[in-house]
PDB file of all heavy atoms in Angstrom:
ATOM      1  N   PRO H 225     -13.752  36.615   8.026  1.00 89.00           N
ATOM      2  CA  PRO H 225     -13.252  37.761   8.777  1.00 89.00           C
ATOM      3  C   PRO H 225     -13.797  37.784  10.196  1.00 89.00           C
ATOM      4  O   PRO H 225     -14.965  37.470  10.435  1.00 89.00           O
ATOM      5  CB  PRO H 225     -13.773  38.968   7.985  1.00 89.00           C
ATOM      6  CG  PRO H 225     -13.948  38.453   6.600  1.00 89.00           C
ATOM      7  CD  PRO H 225     -14.386  37.025   6.771  1.00 89.00           C
ATOM      8  N   ASN H 226     -12.925  38.149  11.123  1.00 80.00           N
ATOM      9  CA  ASN H 226     -13.317  38.302  12.519  1.00 80.00           C
ATOM     10  C   ASN H 226     -13.928  39.691  12.670  1.00 80.00           C
ATOM     11  O   ASN H 226     -13.222  40.692  12.623  1.00 80.00           O
ATOM     12  CB  ASN H 226     -12.087  38.139  13.419  1.00 80.00           C
ATOM     13  CG  ASN H 226     -12.433  38.240  14.883  1.00 80.00           C
ATOM     14  OD1 ASN H 226     -13.500  38.719  15.254  1.00 80.00           O
ATOM     15  ND2 ASN H 226     -11.525  37.795  15.719  1.00 80.00           N
ATOM     16  N   LEU H 227     -15.232  39.745  12.808  1.00 74.00           N
ATOM     17  CA  LEU H 227     -15.921  41.032  12.846  1.00 74.00           C
ATOM     18  C   LEU H 227     -15.505  41.884  14.029  1.00 74.00           C
ATOM     19  O   LEU H 227     -15.652  43.105  13.998  1.00 74.00           O
ATOM     20  CB  LEU H 227     -17.432  40.825  12.824  1.00 74.00           C
ATOM     21  CG  LEU H 227     -17.962  40.179  11.538  1.00 74.00           C
ATOM     22  CD1 LEU H 227     -19.474  40.017  11.612  1.00 74.00           C
ATOM     23  CD2 LEU H 227     -17.580  40.986  10.326  1.00 74.00           C
ATOM     24  N   ALA H 228     -14.933  41.289  15.064  1.00 69.00           N
ATOM     25  CA  ALA H 228     -14.436  42.064  16.199  1.00 69.00           C
ATOM     26  C   ALA H 228     -13.217  42.895  15.801  1.00 69.00           C
ATOM     27  O   ALA H 228     -12.879  43.859  16.478  1.00 69.00           O
ATOM     28  CB  ALA H 228     -14.087  41.137  17.356  1.00 69.00           C
ATOM     29  N   LEU H 229     -12.561  42.538  14.693  1.00 57.00           N
ATOM     30  CA  LEU H 229     -11.372  43.263  14.244  1.00 57.00           C
ATOM     31  C   LEU H 229     -11.657  44.269  13.141  1.00 57.00           C
ATOM     32  O   LEU H 229     -10.756  44.999  12.737  1.00 57.00           O
ATOM     33  CB  LEU H 229     -10.310  42.270  13.747  1.00 57.00           C
ATOM     34  CG  LEU H 229      -9.786  41.280  14.762  1.00 57.00           C
ATOM     35  CD1 LEU H 229      -8.803  40.329  14.106  1.00 57.00           C
ATOM     36  CD2 LEU H 229      -9.136  41.995  15.936  1.00 57.00           C
ATOM     37  N   VAL H 230     -12.891  44.300  12.644  1.00 56.00           N
ATOM     38  CA  VAL H 230     -13.221  45.237  11.571  1.00 56.00           C
ATOM     39  C   VAL H 230     -13.123  46.654  12.111  1.00 56.00           C
ATOM     40  O   VAL H 230     -13.769  46.992  13.095  1.00 56.00           O
ATOM     41  CB  VAL H 230     -14.632  44.970  11.003  1.00 56.00           C
ATOM     42  CG1 VAL H 230     -15.016  46.036   9.992  1.00 56.00           C
ATOM     43  CG2 VAL H 230     -14.691  43.590  10.376  1.00 56.00           C
ATOM     44  N   PRO H 231     -12.277  47.482  11.490  1.00 59.00           N
ATOM     45  CA  PRO H 231     -12.112  48.843  12.004  1.00 59.00           C
ATOM     46  C   PRO H 231     -13.347  49.702  11.760  1.00 59.00           C
ATOM     47  O   PRO H 231     -14.073  49.515  10.797  1.00 59.00           O
ATOM     48  CB  PRO H 231     -10.912  49.380  11.218  1.00 59.00           C
ATOM     49  CG  PRO H 231     -10.801  48.520  10.021  1.00 59.00           C
ATOM     50  CD  PRO H 231     -11.437  47.197  10.346  1.00 59.00           C
ATOM     51  N   ASP H 232     -13.584  50.599  12.658  1.00 63.00           N
ATOM     52  CA  ASP H 232     -14.596  51.634  12.452  1.00 63.00           C
ATOM     53  C   ASP H 232     -14.010  52.943  12.982  1.00 63.00           C
ATOM     54  O   ASP H 232     -12.900  52.969  13.498  1.00 63.00           O
ATOM     55  CB  ASP H 232     -15.940  51.278  13.099  1.00 63.00           C
ATOM     56  CG  ASP H 232     -15.889  51.184  14.618  1.00 63.00           C
ATOM     57  OD1 ASP H 232     -15.052  51.858  15.243  1.00 63.00           O
ATOM     58  OD2 ASP H 232     -16.702  50.436  15.184  1.00 63.00           O
ATOM     59  N   GLU H 233     -14.760  54.022  12.846  1.00 61.00           N
ATOM     60  CA  GLU H 233     -14.219  55.324  13.236  1.00 61.00           C
ATOM     61  C   GLU H 233     -13.909  55.411  14.727  1.00 61.00           C
ATOM     62  O   GLU H 233     -13.068  56.198  15.143  1.00 61.00           O
ATOM     63  CB  GLU H 233     -15.155  56.463  12.806  1.00 61.00           C
ATOM     64  CG  GLU H 233     -16.532  56.426  13.435  1.00 61.00           C
ATOM     65  CD  GLU H 233     -17.520  55.555  12.670  1.00 61.00           C
ATOM     66  OE1 GLU H 233     -17.172  55.007  11.610  1.00 61.00           O
ATOM     67  OE2 GLU H 233     -18.656  55.423  13.137  1.00 61.00           O
ATOM     68  N   ASN H 234     -14.548  54.586  15.549  1.00 58.00           N
ATOM     69  CA  ASN H 234     -14.301  54.610  16.986  1.00 58.00           C
ATOM     70  C   ASN H 234     -13.227  53.629  17.432  1.00 58.00           C
ATOM     71  O   ASN H 234     -12.734  53.719  18.539  1.00 58.00           O
ATOM     72  CB  ASN H 234     -15.599  54.286  17.740  1.00 58.00           C
ATOM     73  CG  ASN H 234     -16.676  55.299  17.451  1.00 58.00           C
ATOM     74  OD1 ASN H 234     -16.402  56.492  17.312  1.00 58.00           O
ATOM     75  ND2 ASN H 234     -17.903  54.823  17.313  1.00 58.00           N
ATOM     76  N   ARG H 235     -12.887  52.690  16.548  1.00 53.00           N
ATOM     77  CA  ARG H 235     -11.954  51.625  16.919  1.00 53.00           C
ATOM     78  C   ARG H 235     -11.133  51.188  15.710  1.00 53.00           C
ATOM     79  O   ARG H 235     -11.304  50.112  15.173  1.00 53.00           O
ATOM     80  CB  ARG H 235     -12.771  50.446  17.477  1.00 53.00           C
ATOM     81  CG  ARG H 235     -12.007  49.376  18.152  1.00 53.00           C
ATOM     82  CD  ARG H 235     -12.951  48.302  18.715  1.00 53.00           C
ATOM     83  NE  ARG H 235     -14.169  48.101  17.966  1.00 53.00           N
ATOM     84  CZ  ARG H 235     -14.283  47.260  16.935  1.00 53.00           C
ATOM     85  NH1 ARG H 235     -13.274  46.572  16.530  1.00 53.00           N
ATOM     86  NH2 ARG H 235     -15.433  47.119  16.310  1.00 53.00           N
ATOM     87  N   PRO H 236     -10.202  52.017  15.246  1.00 47.00           N
ATOM     88  CA  PRO H 236      -9.432  51.676  14.043  1.00 47.00           C
ATOM     89  C   PRO H 236      -8.283  50.703  14.330  1.00 47.00           C
ATOM     90  O   PRO H 236      -7.143  51.091  14.477  1.00 47.00           O
ATOM     91  CB  PRO H 236      -8.906  53.032  13.584  1.00 47.00           C
ATOM     92  CG  PRO H 236      -8.782  53.810  14.847  1.00 47.00           C
ATOM     93  CD  PRO H 236      -9.876  53.317  15.753  1.00 47.00           C
ATOM     94  N   THR H 237      -8.603  49.433  14.428  1.00 51.00           N
ATOM     95  CA  THR H 237      -7.583  48.437  14.760  1.00 51.00           C
ATOM     96  C   THR H 237      -7.826  47.128  14.025  1.00 51.00           C
ATOM     97  O   THR H 237      -8.961  46.815  13.707  1.00 51.00           O
ATOM     98  CB  THR H 237      -7.551  48.191  16.282  1.00 51.00           C
ATOM     99  OG1 THR H 237      -6.646  47.131  16.564  1.00 51.00           O
ATOM    100  CG2 THR H 237      -8.898  47.823  16.826  1.00 51.00           C
ATOM    101  N   GLY H 238      -6.785  46.382  13.753  1.00 52.00           N
ATOM    102  CA  GLY H 238      -6.913  45.051  13.172  1.00 52.00           C
ATOM    103  C   GLY H 238      -7.118  45.057  11.670  1.00 52.00           C
ATOM    104  O   GLY H 238      -7.414  46.065  11.051  1.00 52.00           O
ATOM    105  N   LEU H 239      -6.934  43.884  11.071  1.00 57.00           N
ATOM    106  CA  LEU H 239      -7.129  43.728   9.629  1.00 57.00           C
ATOM    107  C   LEU H 239      -8.598  43.655   9.280  1.00 57.00           C
ATOM    108  O   LEU H 239      -9.057  44.283   8.356  1.00 57.00           O
ATOM    109  CB  LEU H 239      -6.421  42.464   9.134  1.00 57.00           C
ATOM    110  CG  LEU H 239      -4.910  42.492   9.164  1.00 57.00           C
ATOM    111  CD1 LEU H 239      -4.346  41.146   8.763  1.00 57.00           C
ATOM    112  CD2 LEU H 239      -4.387  43.580   8.258  1.00 57.00           C
ATOM    113  N   GLY H 240      -9.338  42.837  10.015  1.00 64.00           N
ATOM    114  CA  GLY H 240     -10.779  42.794   9.848  1.00 64.00           C
ATOM    115  C   GLY H 240     -11.314  41.989   8.691  1.00 64.00           C
ATOM    116  O   GLY H 240     -12.070  41.076   8.901  1.00 64.00           O
ATOM    117  N   CYS H 241     -10.943  42.308   7.482  1.00 88.00           N
ATOM    118  CA  CYS H 241     -11.597  41.720   6.314  1.00 88.00           C
ATOM    119  C   CYS H 241     -10.711  40.686   5.626  1.00 88.00           C
ATOM    120  O   CYS H 241     -10.585  40.662   4.407  1.00 88.00           O
ATOM    121  CB  CYS H 241     -12.011  42.812   5.346  1.00 88.00           C
ATOM    122  SG  CYS H 241     -13.198  43.948   6.083  1.00 88.00           S
ATOM    123  N   GLU H 242     -10.088  39.807   6.399  1.00 92.00           N
ATOM    124  CA  GLU H 242      -9.223  38.784   5.835  1.00 92.00           C
ATOM    125  C   GLU H 242      -9.918  37.426   5.845  1.00 92.00           C
ATOM    126  O   GLU H 242     -10.416  36.978   6.871  1.00 92.00           O
ATOM    127  CB  GLU H 242      -7.924  38.692   6.629  1.00 92.00           C
ATOM    128  CG  GLU H 242      -6.980  37.634   6.084  1.00 92.00           C
ATOM    129  CD  GLU H 242      -5.654  37.637   6.795  1.00 92.00           C
ATOM    130  OE1 GLU H 242      -5.602  37.218   7.954  1.00 92.00           O
ATOM    131  OE2 GLU H 242      -4.672  38.085   6.179  1.00 92.00           O
ATOM    132  N   PHE H 243      -9.943  36.799   4.685  1.00 96.00           N
ATOM    133  CA  PHE H 243     -10.457  35.444   4.535  1.00 96.00           C
ATOM    134  C   PHE H 243      -9.255  34.515   4.417  1.00 96.00           C
ATOM    135  O   PHE H 243      -8.259  34.853   3.769  1.00 96.00           O
ATOM    136  CB  PHE H 243     -11.294  35.311   3.266  1.00 96.00           C
ATOM    137  CG  PHE H 243     -12.587  36.071   3.290  1.00 96.00           C
ATOM    138  CD1 PHE H 243     -12.632  37.428   2.997  1.00 96.00           C
ATOM    139  CD2 PHE H 243     -13.778  35.418   3.586  1.00 96.00           C
ATOM    140  CE1 PHE H 243     -13.828  38.120   3.002  1.00 96.00           C
ATOM    141  CE2 PHE H 243     -14.981  36.104   3.586  1.00 96.00           C
ATOM    142  CZ  PHE H 243     -14.999  37.453   3.308  1.00 96.00           C
ATOM    143  N   ILE H 244      -9.345  33.343   5.022  1.00 96.00           N
ATOM    144  CA  ILE H 244      -8.307  32.330   4.878  1.00 96.00           C
ATOM    145  C   ILE H 244      -8.947  31.128   4.198  1.00 96.00           C
ATOM    146  O   ILE H 244      -9.995  30.652   4.624  1.00 96.00           O
ATOM    147  CB  ILE H 244      -7.697  31.935   6.233  1.00 96.00           C
ATOM    148  CG1 ILE H 244      -7.105  33.182   6.911  1.00 96.00           C
ATOM    149  CG2 ILE H 244      -6.634  30.862   6.044  1.00 96.00           C
ATOM    150  CD1 ILE H 244      -6.591  32.944   8.304  1.00 96.00           C
ATOM    151  N   LEU H 245      -8.308  30.665   3.126  1.00 98.00           N
ATOM    152  CA  LEU H 245      -8.833  29.559   2.346  1.00 98.00           C
ATOM    153  C   LEU H 245      -7.769  28.484   2.246  1.00 98.00           C
ATOM    154  O   LEU H 245      -6.571  28.741   2.390  1.00 98.00           O
ATOM    155  CB  LEU H 245      -9.215  30.022   0.942  1.00 98.00           C
ATOM    156  CG  LEU H 245     -10.287  31.105   0.867  1.00 98.00           C
ATOM    157  CD1 LEU H 245      -9.662  32.483   0.851  1.00 98.00           C
ATOM    158  CD2 LEU H 245     -11.152  30.920  -0.341  1.00 98.00           C
ATOM    159  N   GLU H 246      -8.222  27.238   1.997  1.00 98.00           N
ATOM    160  CA  GLU H 246      -7.280  26.144   1.830  1.00 98.00           C
ATOM    161  C   GLU H 246      -7.653  25.338   0.594  1.00 98.00           C
ATOM    162  O   GLU H 246      -8.795  25.337   0.151  1.00 98.00           O
ATOM    163  CB  GLU H 246      -7.284  25.214   3.053  1.00 98.00           C
ATOM    164  CG  GLU H 246      -8.527  24.348   3.146  1.00 98.00           C
ATOM    165  CD  GLU H 246      -8.449  23.282   4.232  1.00 98.00           C
ATOM    166  OE1 GLU H 246      -7.394  23.101   4.855  1.00 98.00           O
ATOM    167  OE2 GLU H 246      -9.474  22.609   4.430  1.00 98.00           O
ATOM    168  N   LYS H 247      -6.634  24.676   0.079  1.00 97.00           N
ATOM    169  CA  LYS H 247      -6.836  23.717  -1.007  1.00 97.00           C
ATOM    170  C   LYS H 247      -5.966  22.516  -0.665  1.00 97.00           C
ATOM    171  O   LYS H 247      -4.774  22.650  -0.414  1.00 97.00           O
ATOM    172  CB  LYS H 247      -6.429  24.322  -2.348  1.00 97.00           C
ATOM    173  CG  LYS H 247      -6.838  23.455  -3.538  1.00 97.00           C
ATOM    174  CD  LYS H 247      -6.384  24.072  -4.861  1.00 97.00           C
ATOM    175  CE  LYS H 247      -7.388  25.061  -5.392  1.00 97.00           C
ATOM    176  NZ  LYS H 247      -7.079  25.487  -6.788  1.00 97.00           N
ATOM    177  N   LEU H 248      -6.588  21.346  -0.612  1.00 94.00           N
ATOM    178  CA  LEU H 248      -5.870  20.121  -0.304  1.00 94.00           C
ATOM    179  C   LEU H 248      -5.511  19.414  -1.608  1.00 94.00           C
ATOM    180  O   LEU H 248      -6.270  19.410  -2.558  1.00 94.00           O
ATOM    181  CB  LEU H 248      -6.719  19.193   0.569  1.00 94.00           C
ATOM    182  CG  LEU H 248      -7.165  19.788   1.890  1.00 94.00           C
ATOM    183  CD1 LEU H 248      -8.082  18.801   2.627  1.00 94.00           C
ATOM    184  CD2 LEU H 248      -5.988  20.160   2.757  1.00 94.00           C
TER     185      LEU H 248
END
Side-chain angles (χ1 to χ4, degrees):
N226 182 344
L227 296 180
L229 298 177
V230 174
D232 65 28
E233 62 274 357
N234 299 323
R235 192 177 31 88
T237 174
L239 291 175
C241 298
E242 180 175 72
F243 292 82
I244 302 175
L245 300 92
E246 73 171 353
K247 190 181 274 190
L248 301 176

